[in-house]
Amino acid sequence: MSDESDYIEVKIVGGEYLYIRKENLIGFCHFPDHKGYITKNVIKNKECVKKECFYFQKFDDNPYWAALELQKIADKNKKEAAKQKKKKDQEKQEKLVEQAQKIADDLEYTMKIYRVSKLDNDEYAVFYTSNKGHNDYYDFFELAIRFGKKMKCKIKLKHIKDMNGNYVVM
């Protein structure tokens, strides 16, 4: 439990006086028009650090600043991990497209495969175009069988449509 001596009365930026714990004071603003202490709540609104304000004095010994730096590092690591995952997923996508296209080429199908997407645990969709303007998935049924065996799952063939709902022809 905190001691009463941990609390002091201070003028906060903007002119308000508060009875506050010393540990909640993370800085001080020396700007003459609104001189006062800065708390975590105040800094969110004033953006002193972001603006690199000349009048802002940071209390470096306050744990808030160390925690803020740790959060920045964690955010950066999270962003980098997401970027790596996206790159890995894209490479996997390209590999799946190449594998499906190779099977289609081996079968001498007139089709171009653009994307292979996982639908659920045991099913993938293969998005393609062909030289026919109708849903011709049944013409490429052998591709679904062979690629399905390779992937150990079910394959749905999806002829790509344009914005008007017409089947795209290559």
Side-chain angles (χ1 to χ4, degrees), residues 91-122:
E91 288 170 354
K92 181 180 178 183
Q93 172 62 225
E94 290 169 2
K95 185 177 178 183
L96 290 173
V97 168
E98 286 174 16
Q99 290 173 349
Q101 188 65 57
K102 182 174 179 351
I103 294 170
D105 293 345
D106 290 346
L107 291 167
E108 298 181 0
Y109 287 160
T110 306
M111 67 186 314
K112 169 80 172 127
I113 298 172
Y114 289 91
R115 193 175 73 212
V116 177
S117 298
K118 189 169 188 160
L119 300 176
D120 59 33
N121 289 339
D122 65 339

Side-chain angles (χ1 to χ4, degrees), residues 79-91:
K79 189 175 182 179
E80 185 61 33
K83 187 177 176 182
Q84 291 295 330
K85 183 184 181 322
K86 184 177 178 180
K87 183 179 178 185
K88 186 178 178 182
D89 290 347
Q90 186 176 357
E91 288 170 354

Side-chain angles (χ1 to χ4, degrees), residues 25-40:
L25 302 175
I26 63 171
F28 191 87
C29 179
H30 295 278
F31 187 70
D33 290 349
H34 62 242
K35 186 183 274 188
Y37 284 93
I38 296 178
T39 64
K40 296 173 194 175

Side-chain angles (χ1 to χ4, degrees), residues 8-82:
I8 58 173
E9 186 176 15
V10 295
K11 181 181 175 187
I12 302 296
V13 167
E16 181 181 4
Y17 283 87
L18 293 179
Y19 194 60
I20 193 167
R21 293 181 67 163
K22 292 176 195 174
E23 65 192 41
N24 291 335
L25 302 175
I26 63 171
F28 191 87
C29 179
H30 295 278
F31 187 70
D33 290 349
H34 62 242
K35 186 183 274 188
Y37 284 93
I38 296 178
T39 64
K40 296 173 194 175
N41 290 336
V42 170
I43 202 146
K44 290 176 188 172
N45 297 329
K46 293 292 182 183
E47 299 181 335
C48 307
V49 176
K50 185 177 178 182
K51 294 177 186 175
E52 297 180 9
C53 179
F54 172 77
Y55 297 100
F56 175 65
Q57 175 189 353
K58 180 167 77 169
F59 296 161
D60 290 321
D61 57 342
N62 189 298
Y64 170 82
W65 299 109
L68 186 65
E69 285 303 311
L70 287 175
Q71 184 62 47
K72 285 180 183 177
I73 291 168
D75 290 347
K76 184 179 177 183
N77 290 342
K78 188 176 179 180
K79 189 175 182 179
E80 185 61 33

